[in-house]
Structures are given as structure tokens and as C-alpha cells.
Amino acid sequence: MFNHALWMKEYRQAKPVLWMLPVICLLFMGVARGFVIWNKLIPYEGMYNRDLTAESFYSASYGLLFMRNCALAGLIVLLATSFIGMERRNLLNDFTFSLPFSRRRIFMVKWGIGVTFLAASLFANEVVDALVILLSPFSDHFNVLYHIKDFAFTIIVLTGLYTFALFVGTVTGSAFAQAILTAIFSIFPVGFMTILMFFVYVNFRWDAGHVFSNPIFQVMMDMSLFFHVVGIREGVENAGVYIAHMWGPLLYTALFLPLGLYCYQRNRLEYNGRIILFRQLQAVFKAGVALCFALAIGMFFTILFVPDLDRSPNALLLPYYFGFIGGGLVTLIVMERLMKVRLKV
């Protein structure tokens, strides 16, 4: 897979975004950790004359961990759009595909350089973070297992997100569509289940509350990359429980890496700018979007016009199906036009 010329070409193409990865890690791990220690924790001990526990020491920085994960997730999606979506927008893929390399190798280099930079950035800054702690007055609280878990969970989750974002880029024709659809589908499993359960409640009066305690809801959570990104903090704290749910991001990598390879080798340049590149998927995509909007607008109208959802079923059906049918038809008309438009971003 390694070819120096191809790697350098891809590196130069996304160089600014690639180098933002270690910068973000450094800001939220080494620099911010030192700020918390010297400007918050040491004054806290001095003011209250209390010894800080190891658990409290690490929990004081959990907000930074959350912000780092969200920032890295956004950068990873931006990196994927730089490699594929922006390449279409700038017509650089004409040049890329003219190079003496197979599309399979080109895609794997795009994936490999992103994962390599992400892993190297995280590892280097876990070391910096550890040194900041070891050189502080709280060195006795240092926990190497904490940093190993943080590194492992973050790599698994963000690699799954990056792989999925690249795959989305192989079936969409613009950077804008790639970024938006990646964000939507990162939360789609739980979102779709919510609006579907509201449909069941309105039509069959099955209490949706039972669903959220059902194992199927946890499966949907495990399949939602968004909740993994924001949940890494809890995972580091409760690793034994979190490991059982890591199959979701691992599945995204295992499933969408070969699918991305397959689609990247078969997409056609003449459809650049279209929301969906493959004609076979356009009808499915339009129908899926219309169904989701119909369910969501039906739920919105019901909640808007019937605040008391415990009323008789007939009181819920009219506003629900008014929103469902109207929203679905309007969405179909809008999607029919959008699918013919060539986006310039």
C-alpha cells in the first residue's frame, strides 16, 4: 500500500487539516491539563486545605476530554471531505485517477494517512499529558491505565467515524453532502428509532417508554457514532462496561472500509456535484429521506397540537397523519428537484 509519491500527494492535499489533529490534542491534553492543575486544583487544595483524591484529579479534566473528542470528530470528518469531497469540487480527482495507481490503492492511502496521523497525534499527546501530570504536585495520582484506555477507545471510535465519512464521500458528489450526511447518519439509528416508536405509540398505543429500557435501544445506541464520541469520557471511567459496546465503531470500520473501496472504484466522474452518485441508490435515498421526514413531521405536528399525549387515540391520529402525509409529499417534491441539482460545494 505504501508509495512515497502517492502518500506525499495526499499529504499535501490535506496538510492543514492533518496538522490540526496534533494541535487540538496538545491544546486539550497537555496545555489545558497544565492549566487545570496550576490554576484550579493547586489553589483548590490551598484554599480548602484538603487533599485531592486520584479520582477527583482526573474527573476535573473530563470537560476537556469531552471537548477534545468533539473537536477531533469534527476534524476527522473535515479530513475525509478534504480527501474526497473537496477533491471532487476542485476537480482534482481527474488528476488523481490519471496517476499510475489503482483506485483501490488511492483510497487505502487516503484512509491510511488519516488513521496514521490520528494515532500518532493521540499517542504523542498522551505522552505529553502524562509528563505534565508526573511533573506536577499530583504525580502520585498518575494512572497509566487511564491513558491507555483513553488512547484505545478514542482511536477505535474516531477510526470508525473516519472510515464511515470516507465511505459517504464515495457515494456522494460534493463535500457539503458528504459532511452533512456523515453527521446525520452518525446519530441516525437512535433518531430513526425515536420517530418510529412514536409512530407505533400513535397507532397502537404501545408505550414507547418500554422501548428505551429494551435491549434493542442499547443496540441502536451502540450503532450511533455520535453517542460514542460524546461517551468516551464515561468509557474511560467505566471501561469494563464500555468495552461491551465497542462493537459498534469496530463494525463501522470492518463494514465501511471494504464498501468504501468498492464504491470508490466504481463511481463515475460525470456525476460530480450530485447528492448521490449512483443512480441505483437515488430512488432508495429519496424514499428513505421522505419516510424519515414524514415520521418526524408527523411527530412534530402531534406534539404541537396535542400537548396531552395521553388523550384518546383518535385525537392523535388526525394531526399525526396530516403532518405525516403532507411532510412526506413535500419532501418527495423537494428531493426530486434536489437530486437533479449539481452542488458547487
Side-chain angles (χ1 to χ4, degrees):
M1 186 180 78
F2 182 81
N3 182 283
H4 183 265
L6 185 56
W7 275 72
M8 288 304 297
K9 179 263 179 189
E10 298 297 340
Y11 166 74
R12 291 193 182 100
Q13 182 174 319
K15 182 178 177 180
V17 184
L18 286 169
W19 282 106
M20 281 299 294
L21 293 172
V23 170
I24 288 295
C25 289
L26 180 62
L27 287 177
F28 284 108
M29 295 171 75
V31 174
R33 174 84 72 182
F35 182 84
V36 168
I37 289 174
W38 295 101
N39 293 277
K40 181 179 178 181
L41 299 183
I42 292 178
Y44 172 85
E45 282 198 339
M47 182 180 298
Y48 295 99
N49 195 26
R50 296 173 57 185
D51 291 331
L52 200 69
T53 64
E55 182 179 352
S56 299
F57 170 75
Y58 277 104
S59 64
S61 302
Y62 276 166
L64 299 174
L65 191 65
F66 172 81
M67 290 188 287
R68 181 207 64 183
N69 297 337
C70 293
L72 285 178
L75 275 178
I76 280 295
V77 174
L78 180 61
L79 180 61
T81 59
S82 299
F83 276 137
I84 296 186
M86 292 300 294
E87 193 174 63
R88 295 186 191 282
R89 177 183 179 277
N90 299 327
L91 300 180
L92 285 174
N93 50 0
D94 291 334
F95 168 72
T96 301
F97 293 156
S98 70
L99 297 174
F101 305 108
S102 67
R103 290 194 183 188
R104 177 186 181 88
R105 175 170 290 187
I106 293 170
F107 184 84
M108 287 305 299
V109 167
K110 292 177 185 293
W111 181 83
I113 196 171
V115 173
T116 300
F117 254 82
L118 174 63
S121 301
L122 275 170
F123 179 78
N125 284 288
E126 289 288 359
V127 173
V128 171
D129 197 26
L131 289 174
V132 169
I133 297 171
L134 289 171
L135 295 174
S136 76
F138 300 100
S139 58
D140 54 326
H141 293 333
F142 175 71
N143 186 340
V144 67
L145 187 59
Y146 170 92
H147 297 274
I148 293 173
K149 290 185 295 185
D150 178 49
F151 175 78
F153 292 153
T154 307
I155 282 292
I156 292 172
V157 171
L158 294 183
T159 298
L161 177 61
Y162 180 61
T163 305
F164 181 64
L166 284 177
F167 162 75
V168 173
T170 65
V171 297
T172 57
S174 73
F176 179 77
Q178 181 182 0
I180 293 297
L181 291 180
T182 299
I184 291 174
F185 283 110
S186 293
I187 200 172
F188 176 78
V190 170
F192 182 73
M193 184 177 180
T194 301
I195 58 178
L196 184 61
M197 287 304 102
F198 193 87
F199 170 84
V200 172
Y201 175 76
V202 168
N203 288 275
F204 306 104
R205 302 300 287 182
W206 183 27
D207 187 2
H210 295 301
V211 176
F212 296 108
S213 61
N214 194 289
I216 188 64
F217 184 73
Q218 184 58 58
V219 171
M220 294 297 104
M221 288 283 287
D222 291 345
M223 292 178 62
S224 299
L225 287 170
F226 170 80
F227 291 103
H228 281 285
V229 169
V230 301
I232 294 174
R233 178 182 69 82
E234 287 79 7
V236 174
E237 186 178 8
N238 305 293
V241 176
Y242 192 62
I243 288 173
H245 304 299
M246 290 304 293
W247 65 268
L250 290 171
L251 179 65
Y252 272 83
T253 301
L255 179 62
F256 290 107
L257 183 57
L259 277 177
L261 275 169
Y262 178 85
C263 294
Y264 193 70
Q265 293 177 88
R266 287 162 178 78
N267 58 33
R268 298 168 64 180
L269 300 180
E270 58 265 33
Y271 293 126
N272 281 359
R274 296 286 178 87
I275 295 178
I276 301 296
L277 292 175
F278 297 92
R279 296 181 64 86
Q280 306 93 311
L281 294 177
Q282 290 179 2
V284 176
F285 181 74
K286 284 188 292 186
V289 171
L291 174 62
C292 290
F293 269 89
L295 290 168
I297 296 173
M299 181 176 72
F300 173 76
F301 268 63
T302 306
I303 295 173
L304 181 64
F305 293 107
V306 189
D308 183 9
L309 297 180
D310 292 327
R311 293 175 61 182
S312 65
N314 293 335
L316 303 180
L317 289 174
L318 181 60
Y320 184 84
Y321 277 101
F322 179 79
F324 180 90
I325 295 172
L329 289 176
V330 171
T331 304
L332 271 178
I333 294 171
V334 172
M335 288 303 299
E336 188 67 36
R337 295 185 178 182
L338 279 178
M339 298 299 284
K340 299 176 181 178
V341 173
R342 289 185 182 271
L343 301 175
K344 297 182 178 180
V345 292

